[in-house]
Amino acid sequence: EMKTKFKIMKHQIEQLEEEIKEKEEQLKKENFELSKGQKQCEIIKDQMEKAKKKQFQLNTLKETQKGELAKLQARISEADNERKLQKQKYEELISERDILGTQLIRRNDELALLY
């Protein structure tokens, strides 16, 4: 009777040892997966930090370019106003030239009549 109990106990011990081995293997796998997940998490965090830095740089560049664009638009507006003034002066000079040309022709005609 002791032998049968001993055999039963031995069999139970073997089963428990087998369960322990299986659970240890499963624990190792889960620890490996956890470690792998943590590494991926760190990689993603690094990528996110890089993306945030890049976004900050791009936003800074955008603001700088907005300022430059405003300056250029102001310069274009000034140049446009200057061009309009010069065009107006040019048209005034052309008009004055035409008037003087007409007066010159009349005087030449008058002088031709006198001589």
Side-chain angles (χ1 to χ4, degrees), residues 11-111:
H11 182 66
Q12 287 176 342
I13 290 173
E14 287 175 0
Q15 284 179 338
L16 290 173
E17 285 176 347
E18 191 65 34
E19 277 184 44
I20 289 172
K21 284 182 185 177
E22 288 175 6
K23 288 186 179 185
E24 283 178 351
E25 286 297 318
Q26 185 177 359
L27 182 62
K28 284 181 185 178
K29 286 180 184 177
E30 288 176 359
N31 281 337
F32 176 75
E33 290 297 321
L34 177 64
S35 173
K36 189 176 170 183
Q38 287 173 338
K39 286 178 184 177
Q40 287 178 340
C41 185
E42 287 299 317
I43 290 171
I44 291 171
K45 281 182 182 179
D46 289 343
Q47 289 174 343
M48 196 166 88
E49 283 300 315
K50 287 178 184 176
K52 283 182 181 180
K53 286 179 184 177
K54 184 71 173 176
Q55 182 183 18
F56 179 76
Q57 290 172 346
L58 290 174
N59 282 339
T60 303
L61 178 63
K62 182 179 104 176
E63 292 303 318
T64 302
Q65 288 179 344
K66 274 185 180 179
E68 289 177 16
L69 182 62
K71 288 178 187 176
L72 290 173
Q73 286 174 335
R75 287 179 65 188
I76 288 171
S77 178
E78 288 174 17
D80 226 13
N81 290 339
E82 182 65 26
R83 183 188 57 81
K84 287 177 184 176
L85 286 173
Q86 288 179 355
K87 184 177 180 185
Q88 184 180 0
K89 287 180 183 178
Y90 171 76
E91 288 173 356
E92 289 173 3
L93 288 173
I94 294 295
S95 177
E96 189 176 336
R97 182 203 65 183
D98 290 345
I99 291 170
L100 290 174
T102 305
Q103 288 176 355
L104 180 64
I105 291 171
R106 282 189 196 152
R107 288 195 181 135
N108 282 341
D109 288 345
E110 289 174 4
L111 283 175

